Amino acid sequence: MTPKPPRSQPNGSRLVEVVAFPSVQLLDVTGPLQVFASANAMMAKDGKAEPYAVRIVARRGPTIEASAGVGLAVHALSPIDTAVDTLVIAGGDGVHAASDDATLVDWVRQRTGRARRTASVCTGAFLLAASGALDGRRAVTHWGFCAELARRYPLVRVESNPIFVRDGSIWTSAGVTSGIDLALALVEEDLGRAMALAVARYLVVFFKRPGGQTQFSEMLLLQASEDKFGELHDWIGNHLADDLSLPVLARQAAMSERSFSRHYAEATGLTPARAIERLRVEGARHLLSETRLPIKRISQRCGFGSEETMRRSFLRLLATTPQDYRARFS
């Protein structure tokens, strides 16, 4: 994969450097890159300056071999004192060798001090931790490597569940595709929710995965309502077992019931009642596949009230029963 020669940076653009190394995970590099590139394309389409100037940098070049046998053209590591907005550390099988490279580790340490923010994707957290940047900070990595990260770097406060974690100017993300989630969050911070959502929709990925849960198709549909009901959906996700009747939702949205029903249907294509049912089913799907909670308990926790009510919703929306779903996906 040979990138085009870098353009001269437009006035006010943010330089994003993605750090790679031999046997880097290909998607750790290309996932975030595509998010930034899509934001550039959308801004350019609107006649605005591209907000990001992106480059892949590595200790050795001019090419390295990533996972899946794909070659990447890379730039040399930038001089420490040159400006950089965002530093992204990729992960992959080669990260441990990279973490033992004293020159690269020292460069990451100094470059992190220069950058406005630094982020790691997947096991890139190991290289970031080796630089000392994660000492005393909350961090996450691929679920299969959290225990190893905590053992190797006891000063890092490792969390195993989040899709990504932000601690001050340092961001870390979970496994592989979570680099896309993280990059969308960075775009949202820079350019706003509407732009980040537009990029997510163009790439056919989820704008925000709810915590460490599985991606839910219903959440993507509801997030299409953009800013108007984004906060309401976040609130609903944390109150599935509560009263989510129309009066409660309208009050939470600070609207009359009639106005809320009309505007909500226009924004999401669903009535509030249908949206709540779908979100409750998705919440139950997660608990069925990820926990051993009894089905009765799950139905209560997700606000169905009874197993039979949950069963009917599953049959209507998924054409299967909770029991069969658990047997297949747990």
Side-chain angles (χ1 to χ4, degrees), residues 96-327:
H96 297 305
S99 300
D100 291 334
D101 184 334
T103 299
L104 178 58
V105 170
D106 185 61
W107 182 89
V108 169
R109 179 185 300 112
Q110 296 188 61
R111 202 67 173 140
T112 295
R114 183 76 176 178
R116 177 172 68 92
R117 62 190 176 194
T118 299
S120 66
V121 180
C122 194
T123 54
F126 283 84
L127 178 52
L128 197 53
S131 76
L134 295 182
D135 288 356
R137 295 182 185 270
R138 298 168 54 239
V140 68
T141 187
H142 188 289
W143 61 267
F145 294 91
C146 285
E148 183 180 354
L149 182 65
R151 179 179 58 80
R152 288 195 181 192
Y153 303 99
L155 295 181
V156 181
R157 295 155 52 195
V158 179
E159 301 183 9
S160 59
N161 187 53
I163 296 297
F164 61 83
V165 169
R166 179 183 184 179
D167 192 327
S169 62
I170 305 294
W171 304 61
T172 53
S173 63
V176 193
T177 59
S178 64
I180 296 174
D181 299 76
L182 183 145
L184 286 169
L186 299 180
V187 169
E188 181 182 16
E189 182 183 55
D190 295 339
L191 307 177
R193 177 186 173 95
M195 174 56 71
L197 177 60
V199 171
R201 294 174 69 185
Y202 173 74
L203 297 178
V204 198
V205 298
F206 287 80
F207 173 39
K208 290 183 180 179
R209 283 190 260 186
Q213 298 180 21
T214 335
Q215 294 243 27
F216 295 151
S217 58
E218 313 309 333
M219 289 304 297
L220 179 58
L221 175 64
L222 296 179
Q223 282 168 2
S225 59
E226 300 188 4
D227 291 332
K228 198 164 191 177
F229 296 110
E231 291 184 4
L232 176 64
H233 292 146
D234 290 341
W235 180 84
I236 290 171
N238 292 320
H239 295 82
L240 288 177
D242 297 345
D243 177 12
L244 297 177
S245 60
L246 180 59
V248 171
L249 296 177
R251 185 165 60 250
Q252 186 67 26
M255 302 171 73
S256 70
E257 293 180 28
R258 182 176 180 180
S259 180
F260 172 74
S261 295
R262 177 169 59 84
H263 287 292
Y264 190 88
E266 290 174 352
T268 67
L270 295 171
T271 66
R274 287 302 184 195
I276 295 302
E277 181 185 38
R278 289 174 181 238
L279 290 174
R280 281 176 165 155
V281 165
E282 297 295 355
R285 286 171 63 181
H286 168 68
L287 293 176
L288 287 166
S289 62
E290 301 295 332
T291 77
R292 296 184 178 181
L293 287 173
I295 290 178
K296 181 177 181 180
R297 180 82 176 275
I298 291 173
S299 69
Q300 295 169 344
R301 181 175 290 192
C302 294
F304 288 102
S306 70
E307 292 181 60
E308 181 56 27
T309 301
M310 184 168 79
R311 181 177 180 276
R312 289 198 299 267
S313 291
F314 264 67
L315 287 171
R316 179 164 46 250
L317 296 178
L318 304 178
T320 189
T321 65
Q323 290 88 345
D324 289 341
Y325 185 91
R326 169 168 272 176

